[in-house]
Amino acid sequence: EPEVTQTPSHQVTQMGQEVILRCVPISNHLYFYWYRQILGQKVEFLVSFYNNEISEKSEIFDDQFSVERPDGSNFTLKIRSTKLEDSAMYFCASNRETAYGYTFGSGTRLTVV
Amino acid sequence: KNEVEQSPQNLTAQEGEFITINCSYSVGISALHWLQQHPGGGIVSLFMLSSGKKKHGRLIATINIQEKHSSLHITASHPRDSAVYICAPRVDSNYQLIWGAGTKLIIKP
């Protein structure tokens, strides 16, 4: 069964450093999403992406965050200058149409120290 | 007030028991997802439904759009069903998911 692949599975970074989280969505999917889950809390929506542009973003997704689909297969989330409170599990998801179900990646656990 | 309420928050049961997890929501939705989050953190989509009932193996999901309520049932529960189960309605206006806090299920052998 097709999978959404996320790398790395765990990243530790120093506060203030830039990080790039990578996702390879399912190849025929058109809609892409990033979510995050702070330990012990609910999953939160960050951003959705369609047709090479952001279609929706939450209040969390401020100027420190950006997304890109640089080569037609990867979908990346960049955090420019990480803060301690960015420590969370970050999930990528994709679907073919918004009316369809989502496929989630297994997540990247980001730890900012 | 939370837009999505799940109950119970925690549930411990013996192997073989019939499990019910409930989800109520307050917004207009076009569909609702039930997801399973494993202890390692990964999320798996179990169901997406917009009316009636769906069944997959020992899992059954029902939804009543008029009453803004959905349930997830597990028949003949097994320790491997232990996970967090999350209800996530899809908002009608922008197709975004709003996430419940999850129900932590532990099935004891």
Side-chain angles (χ1 to χ4, degrees):
Chain A
E1 191 164 325
E3 288 184 346
V4 173
T5 306
Q6 285 188 246
T7 55
S9 55
H10 191 186
Q11 179 151 2
V12 181
T13 189
Q14 288 210 320
M15 195 167 56
Q17 294 296 304
E18 174 184 285
V19 294
I20 298 176
L21 309 182
R22 301 181 195 280
C23 169
V24 180
I26 293 172
S27 59
N28 64 349
H29 284 189
L30 302 176
Y31 295 81
F32 315 109
Y33 309 85
W34 282 102
Y35 294 90
R36 81 169 185 193
Q37 186 178 33
I38 295 170
L39 188 64
Q41 297 187 21
K42 285 198 269 191
V43 175
E44 300 171 291
F45 168 72
L46 291 178
V47 66
S48 59
F49 192 85
Y50 169 71
N51 201 24
N52 281 321
E53 59 184 28
I54 291 173
S55 43
E56 295 270 350
K57 60 182 181 178
S58 71
E59 291 172 355
I60 302 166
F61 194 88
D62 62 21
D63 292 344
Q64 290 299 310
F65 291 88
S66 61
V67 288
E68 219 179 18
R69 192 157 154 78
D71 57 11
S73 62
N74 288 285
F75 177 50
T76 61
L77 174 70
K78 184 194 289 187
I79 309 174
R80 263 180 265 287
S81 177
T82 49
K83 303 187 279 284
L84 294 175
E85 53 265 38
D86 294 326
S87 295
M89 182 79 105
Y90 288 81
F91 293 101
C92 172
S94 69
N95 55 10
R96 235 171 71 197
E97 294 279 349
T98 54
Y100 285 34
Y102 291 64
T103 303
F104 287 85
S106 53
T108 292
R109 185 170 296 286
L110 176 66
T111 303
V112 182
V113 296
Chain B
K1 184 183 181 302
N2 286 329
E3 292 172 311
V4 183
E5 297 276 359
Q6 280 188 240
S7 62
Q9 283 186 302
N10 295 282
L11 178 57
T12 300
Q14 290 296 131
E15 184 172 355
E17 285 189 41
F18 181 80
I19 302 299
T20 295
I21 298 169
N22 294 300
C23 174
S24 297
Y25 52 90
S26 56
V27 296
I29 71 166
S30 51
L32 182 143
H33 292 256
W34 280 101
L35 307 125
Q36 181 191 55
Q37 186 167 31
H38 299 295
I43 293 176
V44 174
S45 181
L46 299 174
F47 295 103
M48 183 180 76
L49 63 165
S50 52
S51 65
K53 177 174 160 178
K54 283 192 175 179
K55 185 174 191 289
H56 185 236
R58 295 180 294 105
L59 300 178
I60 303 164
T62 63
I63 189 167
N64 185 320
I65 294 283
Q66 287 73 32
E67 293 187 5
K68 295 187 186 297
H69 182 268
S70 177
S71 294
L72 177 70
H73 305 284
I74 306 175
T75 61
S77 58
H78 189 276
R80 65 174 173 265
D81 297 325
S82 298
V84 175
Y85 292 84
I86 303 171
C87 163
R90 190 181 74 206
V91 178
D92 210 5
S93 57
N94 62 7
Y95 296 105
Q96 294 304 330
L97 298 183
I98 46 173
W99 295 74
T103 294
K104 184 174 181 180
L105 174 66
I106 297 172
I107 304 295
K108 293 186 172 180

